[in-house]
Amino acid sequence: MSAQVGCCGGSVEFHTSLIGQRHRILPTTKFVFVVDDNPSMLRGIGRLLRECGFVSKLFETGSAMLREGGVESALCLVLDVNLSDGSGIELRHRLADEGIDVPVIYITGNDNPAIRMAATASGCVAYLTKPFTASSLIEPIQRVLDGIV
C-alpha cells in the first residue's frame, strides 16, 4: 500500500510499509531541515519524517532557513535543487563557505547530468529524483544518524 503527495505535476510516493512501523531510528533532538518551495511537497516530507520519528523544520526558501539559524546543529539538510530564491546547491556552497558542514540530501524534479554532477561534487549524501520512495529519503537520514556518512 502507498500514499502519494502531489508535486510539480508528479507525485512523491511514500510507501506506507514504512509508516506506522517501528524502525531502528533513535530518538534525537537534532532537526532535519527541509527546504522546498512546493508547499505540498514540504508538508508531505514533514509528515513522513514525523511518522518515522524525526523532528523537522520546514522552509519554503533558503533565505527563510538562514534567517531561522541553527543550521550548523541540524542532523542533516534536505534541499530542493531548484528553489524560488536560488539553487539548493548554491545554498550548500554558501553554508560551506561559512564553515557549516552538515550532511545534505538533494531532491529535484528536474534531473540532468550537469545538476547531478554539481550536486555530487558538493558532497551530498544522497541525490533523489522526484518522485522518490519514502525509504530512499529515510535511509540516508538513518545513515547520518548512525554516523555511517
Side-chain angles (χ1 to χ4, degrees), residues 37-108:
D37 55 4
N38 180 313
S40 64
M41 175 63 72
L42 196 59
R43 284 190 308 274
I45 292 172
R47 278 193 304 272
L48 172 65
L49 292 171
R50 185 175 54 253
E51 291 292 327
C52 291
F54 292 102
V55 180
S56 62
K57 289 190 177 186
L58 308 176
F59 306 95
E60 290 189 8
T61 65
S63 300
M65 183 188 74
L66 294 173
R67 280 193 306 275
E68 172 79 16
V71 177
E72 66 281 350
S73 63
L75 176 64
C76 68
L77 309 177
V78 177
L79 302 177
D80 189 7
V81 171
N82 297 309
L83 298 167
S84 61
D85 65 342
S87 160
I89 297 169
E90 291 169 2
L91 178 59
R92 166 76 167 110
H93 286 297
R94 178 176 173 185
L95 292 170
D97 290 347
E98 294 176 12
I100 299 172
D101 186 27
V102 176
V104 173
I105 298 167
Y106 290 112
I107 58 176
T108 185

